[in-house]
Amino acid sequence: MSLAHRLHFVPGLKAADHTAASESDSINMGLVETAVCAIQFGDMSVASPEVKAYSGATAGTKTTALTFRYLLSPQPAKTAGADVWAAAFSTSADLTVTFDTDDDKLLLIEVNSAEMTDAEPWLTVEVDGDATVQLHAMIWVCEPRYDYTTSVI
């Protein structure tokens, strides 16, 4: 089976200038073991957005803030070393992505299904609207419990 069929790739948020707060499509963590939200940032200006993860009882609800693991690429896209990750994850419940310093970097947020709040299986990632320009896109990469024909959104 191909890698594309072993993992479940889900479009989370289209690439655009999300000046207002943005949120990913929600993932039903009851159908996956682990979910990684990959956020590719572009240009951000004036302020530094905050990234949060939430559990909810239904898709799109953000009931309980979660502490999540994350990796931030050490270099901007298309720069040598941009794909060399830290050996250990950092954790946060409210991660600030710094404008100018973190422009064009890739942020990976990882949550396991066992870490979800009881009776709140839906996972949503939010980027607040602090920056006046805030280019980014989100893609989910999930380790599914079922085959690739099962929808997790």
Side-chain angles (χ1 to χ4, degrees):
M1 184 183 299
S2 73
L3 180 61
H5 287 105
R6 287 194 314 267
L7 298 175
H8 202 102
F9 294 86
V10 181
L13 182 71
K14 69 179 182 176
D17 181 0
H18 299 284
T19 304
S22 64
E23 61 185 51
S24 69
D25 203 348
S26 299
I27 297 295
N28 184 339
M29 293 296 288
L31 300 174
V32 302
E33 296 293 337
T34 304
V36 173
C37 184
I39 306 174
Q40 176 64 60
F41 286 97
D43 182 48
M44 296 176 280
S45 63
V46 179
S48 300
E50 295 171 349
V51 180
K52 299 177 184 178
Y54 293 92
S55 63
T58 59
T61 60
K62 298 180 292 186
T63 306
T64 305
L66 300 172
T67 297
F68 55 87
R69 290 177 308 288
Y70 72 91
L71 294 169
L72 181 65
S73 61
Q75 300 294 329
K78 298 182 80 171
T79 303
D83 64 334
V84 178
W85 300 95
F89 281 92
S90 297
T91 60
S92 181
D94 187 358
L95 175 64
T96 299
V97 181
T98 308
F99 82 95
D100 285 344
T101 303
D102 295 331
D103 282 4
D104 302 316
K105 289 187 177 179
L106 179 63
L107 174 64
L108 302 178
I109 295 173
E110 181 173 293
V111 177
N112 293 328
S113 60
E115 299 164 334
M116 297 296 289
T117 306
D118 286 344
E120 296 180 10
W122 291 91
L123 175 62
T124 304
V125 171
E126 174 189 79
V127 179
D128 75 10
D130 283 351
T132 56
V133 173
Q134 191 173 174
L135 303 173
H136 62 274
M138 298 183 198
I139 296 175
W140 286 102
V141 181
C142 302
E143 179 185 12
R145 292 183 179 176
Y146 305 99
D147 72 24
Y148 60 91
T149 61
T150 302
S151 177
V152 298
I153 56 175

